[in-house]
């Protein structure tokens, strides 16, 4: 779980410092830096699994120039910065396995990872240049200091104690100079042994991306946390595809393998249940159908058709009149909602999930149901983590007034472009701010919150959807105070329809 991220020198993210809770919505107009923040998260995730060069090339590039890694660095005119830096505070899993299946147990689960990367001319790659690690550190955060770092509202007893464990007195990865050489040291906390020292200038990848369970289980589980960060870009074409019987479960970032994932989860759920089920009547199918009925009314059942002749799994929905609709006939919005509903029931999917503009293809009246689902996917910080409450986090971005108006006010970040000056140069850079009287404002009292004027473009006019039954609390917006519920904004919203 990513709790704080600092970025400098990456695209238009010059001096960014953002705290995250379990659910965050980033709102802003086009080209202000919302997607660049997601690119930075993707870059950090890629670096935990690949070389510096490959991780850079995998990131969305400026103007489609995927072969020019220089475009990842902040630019003013034709001048590029020569370095970028990242600092991520995160809660990592307490247990896991390495690439060889060896078990790992973290000595502490609250850590801070710092990485600084420089650009250098590489004569072997004249059109690409090269990347060099200038600094890499992984250190623990004292559990006694958790209240100073975890500012979002949460249960300090039940939830915090279930995710923060262990103790540590020294760094796991550190950087220091020896004469003219820059040395990165990996300290071993899995076994008693000498630290491993590496010359930074020769490293093609981060030290973190090479660790295993034997030498440094905590570093390995930090790597696993970074690897779990996903950019979900649910594509209708992928969601409509059938899956062969041999398809392994796990929803792809584009929504692929939805039938195989749902079928596997339904069978696993039935195996743990005392309720006798047939393949057509798994309890999980009913729960997913109930969730989907919040989005569209004409839902009676969901099923996975097993075509024995072609050995294919196909998603099917049955309407209230008994008509069966295969996935290929469903709307884009229905498929996206269905994929997220399945993801909500998949306890094996943890980490950070990022979605760009989840309202695409969704009727405005259905957006509240989508937002409730996204918040339910995120970890409930009022109860301990467990199989029914995995350590999972959701970040979305949007420029839709229908989304912003329904977001809990303490979950909203507003992205905008601000003029800055550095080394005698003036430029536009991304700035992320928050509403007053929220936990982020209390955590950073010296930073000015977003002004009311910035929200008017999102909230005026706004047409509210009507609940079917005002006495049914489950159908009411959750949490209770959304952005439009704030008393300091009511006079600016003359077009509200209650």
């Amino acid at each position: 779980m990513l709790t704080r991220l600092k970025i400098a020198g990456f695209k238009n993210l010059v001096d960014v410092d953002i705290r995250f809770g379990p659910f965050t919505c980033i709102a802003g107009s086009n080209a202000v830096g919302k997607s660049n923040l997601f690119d930075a998260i993707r870059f950090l995730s890629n670096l935990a699994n690949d070389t510096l060069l490959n991780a850079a090339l995998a990131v969305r590039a400026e103007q489609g120039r995927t072969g020019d890694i220089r475009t990842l660095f902040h630019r003013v005119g034709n001048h590029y910065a020569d370095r970028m830096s990242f600092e991520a505070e995160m809660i990592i899993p307490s247990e896991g396995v390495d690439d060889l299946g060896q078990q790992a147990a973290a000595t502490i689960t609250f850590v801070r990872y710092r990485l600084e990367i420089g650009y250098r001319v590489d004569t072997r790659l004249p059109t690409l240049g090269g990347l060099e690690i200038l600094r890499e550190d992984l250190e623990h955060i004292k559990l006694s200091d958790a209240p100073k770092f975890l500012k979002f509202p949460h249960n300090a007893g039940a939830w915090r104690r279930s995710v923060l464990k262990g103790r540590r007195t020294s760094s796991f990865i550190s950087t220091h100079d020896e004469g003219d050489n820059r040395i990165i040291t990996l300290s071993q906390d899995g076994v008693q042994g000498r630290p491993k020292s590496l010359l930074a200038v020769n490293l093609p990848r981060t030290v973190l991306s090479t660790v295993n369970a034997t030498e440094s289980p905590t570093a390995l589980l930090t790597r696993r946390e970074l690897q779990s960060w996903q950019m979900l870009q649910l594509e209708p074409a992928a969601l409509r595809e059938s899956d062969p019987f041999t398809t392994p479960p796990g929803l792809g970032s584009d929504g692929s393998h939805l039938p195989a994932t749902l079928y596997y989860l339904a069978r696993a759920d039935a195996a743990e249940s005392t309720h006798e089920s047939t393949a057509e009547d798994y309890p999980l199918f009913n729960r997913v159908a109930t969730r989907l009925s919040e989005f569209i009314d004409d839902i009676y059942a969901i099923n996975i058709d097993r075509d024995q002749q072609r050995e294919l799994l196909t998603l099917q929905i049955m309407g209230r009149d008994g008509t069966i609709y295969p996935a290929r006939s469903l709307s884009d919005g229905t498929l996206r909602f269905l994929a997220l509903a399945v993801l909500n029931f998949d306890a094996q999917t943890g980490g950070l999930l990022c979605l760009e503009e989840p309202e695409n293809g969704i009727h405005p009246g259905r957006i509240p149901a989508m937002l409730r689902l996204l918040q339910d996917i995120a970890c409930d910080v009022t109860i301990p983590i467990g199989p029914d409450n995995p350590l999972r986090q959701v970040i979305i971005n949007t420029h839709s007034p229908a989304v912003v108006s329904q977001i809990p006010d303490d979950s909203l970040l507003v992205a905008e472009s601000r003029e800055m000056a550095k080394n005698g140069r003036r430029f536009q850079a991304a700035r992320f701010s928050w509403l007053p009287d929220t936990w982020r404002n209390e955590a950073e009292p010296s930073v000015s919150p977003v002004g009311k004027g910035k929200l008017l473009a999102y909230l005026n006019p706004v047409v509210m959807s009507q609940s079917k039954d005002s006495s049914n609390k489950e159908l009411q917006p959750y949490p209770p105070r959304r952005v439009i519920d704030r008393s300091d904004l009511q006079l600016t919203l003359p077009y509200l329809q209650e």
Side-chain angles (χ1 to χ4, degrees):
M1 181 177 183
L2 178 64
T3 60
R4 189 174 187 177
L5 181 61
K6 298 180 181 181
I7 308 170
F10 182 87
K11 296 191 174 184
N12 74 332
L13 308 179
V14 177
D15 189 15
V16 168
D17 183 358
I18 303 177
R19 296 176 186 267
F20 295 99
F23 174 77
T24 304
C25 174
I26 302 171
S29 59
N30 296 326
V32 296
K34 304 189 307 296
S35 294
N36 287 345
L37 178 62
F38 279 8
D39 287 342
I41 292 173
R42 186 202 309 263
F43 185 45
L44 273 176
S45 180
N46 291 343
L47 286 170
N49 200 49
D50 213 334
T51 65
L52 299 173
L53 183 59
N54 288 341
L57 293 176
V59 176
R60 180 182 62 101
E62 181 183 285
Q63 299 177 351
R65 293 181 290 171
T66 55
D68 188 356
I69 60 175
R70 198 70 194 266
T71 60
L72 297 184
F73 291 81
H74 176 62
R75 184 182 69 171
V76 180
N78 292 322
H79 175 76
Y80 288 92
D82 59 0
R83 61 184 59 197
M84 64 176 88
S85 64
F86 308 87
E87 181 178 319
E89 295 175 4
M90 59 191 123
I91 300 171
I92 64 173
S94 59
E95 297 179 344
V97 296
D98 65 12
D99 296 340
L100 297 177
Q102 302 301 303
Q103 293 290 328
T107 55
I108 195 166
T109 59
F110 200 10
V111 298
R112 180 185 295 110
Y113 181 60
R114 294 190 183 97
L115 183 66
E116 186 173 353
I117 296 174
Y119 181 86
R120 66 182 180 189
V121 176
D122 193 330
T123 56
R124 298 168 297 177
L125 301 170
T127 61
L128 293 177
L131 297 176
E132 177 183 356
I133 297 177
L134 304 179
R135 178 179 179 181
E136 184 177 11
D137 300 313
L138 177 62
E139 60 188 20
H140 68 286
I141 298 175
K142 293 181 180 179
L143 302 191
S144 59
D145 291 336
K148 296 190 296 185
F149 291 95
L150 301 180
K151 294 294 188 179
F152 57 87
H154 63 278
N155 188 314
W159 183 80
R160 192 198 298 170
R161 289 178 182 174
S162 70
V163 297
L164 299 187
K165 301 176 181 179
R167 62 184 301 273
R168 179 73 175 181
T169 59
S170 59
S171 298
F172 301 98
I173 301 175
S174 59
T175 304
H176 62 279
D177 293 329
E178 292 185 2
D180 295 332
N181 296 322
R182 187 168 54 256
I183 305 297
I184 299 179
T185 300
L186 173 65
S187 299
Q188 301 190 22
D189 69 325
V191 296
Q192 295 296 326
R194 298 183 60 183
K196 181 189 297 184
S197 296
L198 303 162
L199 192 62
V201 70
N202 294 329
L203 293 178
R205 59 195 306 152
T206 63
V207 172
L208 188 71
S209 69
T210 68
V211 295
N212 58 52
T214 301
E215 60 188 6
S216 186
T218 305
L220 170 74
L221 292 167
T222 302
R223 179 190 177 198
R224 287 288 182 258
E225 170 63 22
L226 289 167
Q227 289 174 320
S228 72
W229 297 354
Q230 295 185 57
M231 307 295 123
L232 291 182
Q233 297 175 320
L234 301 176
E235 299 293 340
L239 291 165
R240 291 188 172 96
E241 288 291 328
S242 299
D243 284 328
F245 284 180
T246 56
T247 302
L251 197 66
S253 61
D254 61 352
S256 56
H257 311 316
L258 176 59
T261 301
L262 177 55
Y263 186 68
Y264 171 82
L265 292 175
R267 291 190 61 182
D269 176 74
E272 297 177 358
S273 174
T274 57
H275 173 71
E276 293 187 5
S277 307
T278 65
E280 293 76 21
D281 186 33
Y282 284 136
L284 184 62
F285 287 163
N286 298 329
R287 295 201 294 273
V288 173
T290 299
R291 191 78 207 219
L292 184 59
S293 68
E294 299 178 16
F295 186 74
I296 52 177
D297 297 329
D298 188 27
I299 292 293
Y300 178 74
I302 289 176
N303 186 30
I304 298 296
D305 176 64
R306 286 175 53 87
D307 187 331
Q308 296 290 348
Q309 183 175 358
R310 296 186 298 166
E311 296 188 343
L312 288 178
L313 302 173
T314 301
L315 177 69
Q316 294 180 337
I317 290 179
M318 180 184 291
R320 295 188 181 279
D321 60 358
T323 304
I324 294 178
Y325 303 93
R328 63 177 179 273
S329 66
L330 301 178
S331 70
D332 295 357
T334 299
L335 286 167
R336 290 192 178 102
F337 188 94
L338 180 56
L340 292 173
V342 171
L343 186 63
N344 183 45
F345 291 106
D346 185 2
Q348 298 303 313
T349 299
L352 170 60
L353 305 175
C354 297
L355 293 87
E356 292 210 48
E357 301 177 2
E359 71 278 5
N360 283 348
I362 306 295
H363 185 277
R366 308 295 187 189
I367 286 177
M370 172 66 82
L371 294 178
R372 284 195 297 269
L373 175 57
L374 290 170
Q375 292 172 71
D376 287 345
I377 291 173
C379 180
D380 184 348
V381 294
T382 65
I383 60 176
I385 60 167
D388 295 329
N389 187 36
L391 187 58
R392 195 160 53 197
Q393 185 178 21
V394 175
I395 303 175
I396 65 173
N397 69 28
T398 186
H399 48 68
S400 166
V403 172
V404 174
S405 65
Q406 298 286 331
I407 290 295
D409 65 348
D410 63 353
S411 296
L412 181 66
L413 287 173
V414 176
E416 54 188 319
S417 185
R418 288 285 184 89
E419 186 176 81
M420 298 180 64
K422 193 173 184 179
N423 299 327
R425 297 174 179 268
R426 305 191 72 83
F427 54 88
Q428 296 291 319
R431 181 180 185 271
F432 298 85
S433 52
W434 41 84
L435 292 173
D437 304 321
T438 58
W439 66 266
R440 285 187 176 87
N441 193 47
E442 295 174 0
E444 303 288 348
S446 61
V447 178
S448 299
V450 64
K452 297 178 185 178
K454 295 295 182 181
L455 290 177
L456 295 184
Y458 297 103
L459 303 180
N460 192 8
V462 173
V463 178
M464 288 295 300
S465 61
Q466 296 292 322
S467 172
K468 297 178 184 178
D469 182 1
S470 60
S471 65
N472 188 339
K473 294 183 179 180
E474 291 184 357
L475 295 179
Q476 300 304 305
Y478 175 82
R481 189 172 82 161
R482 302 153 298 174
V483 172
I484 60 169
D485 294 327
R486 293 178 59 94
S487 60
D488 57 342
L489 296 175
Q490 293 304 306
L491 294 178
T492 67
L493 308 177
Y495 298 102
L496 276 177
Q497 296 181 4
E498 295 293 345

